[in-house]
Amino acid sequence: MSPMNAIVAEVRKRAPILTETYVAYGICEKLIQECADQAMYSIPQRYEKDGVIPHTADGQDLGVGTGWWYESLGLTPTFSNWAQVTFLHMYIITVRLRAFPPEAAPIWHQHLLDHFFYTAEDRMVREHNVYSRSIRNNYLKDLFTQWRGVLAAYDEGVVKGDAVLATAVWRNVFDGKEDVDLKGLGDVVCYMRGVLKGLEGMDNNEIARGDVEFGDPGTQRKNVEVKSRMMDTLPKTENIQSPEK
């Protein structure tokens, strides 16, 4: 442990409630940046003189993004997709924060959410020219509603199984589109399970230092393509009889 970390640890022992908010504020900013970076995008035309921002078919500002979520999964670089991928990673961290001491967990949850809204509002201004505070507030209220829905849906999926979790991911990340990449959907579900398990094995102090880095969901493809043993219990196609009319 570095001298600075040792000092912080000692101060937290002596005045835990007074220092928890200070520590959580700074670390949650770091954690949110890690979440937001997973599907970060930019809109180059925003910074060009007389630049015209392109739009998607449903009228969203279309950006430019790199990385697995855009290049492999095929998501469109938009604010809404960025928010949903960020929510997914926030959910993973939120689950781990629930294991913090009862008096500390709510503080961390609140700062994590607050920093997301700071980041989202900043992107509205810098990338999307949304200068009206009232319009931004309406967007932020909608994002909060979405976040509550994400929490409930992913919690249900984690408890009830991969099929339910996949449905939640399909509705939120893929916007419920019918032409979803099923293997890509499977990648995301396996990725969530794997990261949740990884964070579960980390010490609270590691999380409280912000020692969280997300990887590439594409590495889960080998697990997605493993044939389930349940497949061997299903009846063969040629043995299935058509229902009598």
Side-chain angles (χ1 to χ4, degrees):
M1 179 181 294
S2 69
M4 181 57 69
N5 285 337
I7 292 173
V8 171
E10 183 62 26
V11 171
R12 293 181 73 186
K13 287 181 182 178
R14 295 177 182 273
I17 300 301
L18 295 177
T19 59
E20 196 70 43
T21 293
Y22 173 78
V23 174
Y25 181 89
I27 297 302
C28 283
E29 182 178 17
K30 179 181 178 182
L31 292 173
I32 279 297
Q33 190 60 57
E34 179 67 15
C35 294
D37 283 348
Q38 302 312 304
M40 190 57 74
Y41 67 98
S42 63
I43 302 180
Q45 296 85 355
R46 164 71 175 82
Y47 303 96
E48 298 173 356
K49 183 179 180 180
D50 300 325
V52 178
I53 298 177
H55 295 87
T56 63
D58 58 353
Q60 297 186 68
D61 291 349
L62 178 61
V64 175
T66 60
W68 186 84
W69 296 92
Y70 296 131
E71 296 175 313
S72 297
L73 193 61
L75 296 182
T76 304
T78 63
F79 180 89
S80 60
N81 283 337
W82 167 81
Q84 284 299 327
V85 175
T86 301
F87 279 161
L88 184 147
H89 291 87
M90 285 172 59
Y91 172 78
I92 292 172
I93 291 178
T94 295
V95 171
R96 182 59 184 81
L97 292 178
R98 290 170 179 167
F100 274 30
E103 67 276 9
I107 298 173
W108 286 80
H109 288 151
Q110 188 60 57
H111 281 306
L112 189 75
L113 189 58
D114 287 346
H115 277 299
F116 167 75
F117 286 123
Y118 300 152
T119 302
E121 187 169 14
D122 180 64
R123 295 198 65 74
M124 291 178 195
V125 174
R126 289 193 300 107
E127 299 291 340
H128 299 276
N129 298 329
V130 182
Y131 295 112
S132 169
R133 178 171 294 276
S134 62
I135 294 177
R136 294 200 306 272
N137 285 341
N138 286 335
Y139 283 139
L140 293 174
K141 289 178 182 177
D142 183 58
L143 285 171
F144 180 71
T145 301
Q146 291 180 40
W147 170 242
R148 295 295 297 271
V150 162
L151 277 177
Y154 289 163
D155 274 347
E156 182 182 28
V158 168
V159 172
K160 292 187 176 180
D162 288 349
V164 178
L165 183 56
T167 300
V169 172
W170 171 65
R171 287 175 177 168
N172 290 284
V173 176
F174 295 90
D175 199 27
K177 295 179 180 177
E178 295 183 359
D179 58 344
V180 62
D181 175 2
L182 294 180
K183 286 187 176 181
L185 177 58
D187 289 341
V188 177
V189 171
C190 286
Y191 169 73
M192 291 181 71
R193 292 286 189 188
V195 179
L196 284 168
K197 184 175 180 60
L199 292 186
E200 183 181 359
M202 294 177 65
D203 185 82
N204 278 355
N205 288 330
E206 294 179 274
I207 304 296
R209 290 195 301 267
D211 295 342
V212 176
E213 291 185 3
F214 296 109
D216 182 352
T219 59
Q220 300 297 323
R221 179 56 59 89
K222 60 181 181 297
N223 298 321
V224 173
E225 293 180 338
V226 172
K227 180 182 177 182
S228 170
R229 287 176 294 181
M230 291 294 294
M231 294 296 292
D232 294 327
T233 67
L234 298 176
K236 303 297 182 181
T237 303
E238 59 269 20
N239 295 331
I240 298 178
Q241 298 181 354
S242 300
E244 295 182 0
K245 296 183 179 180

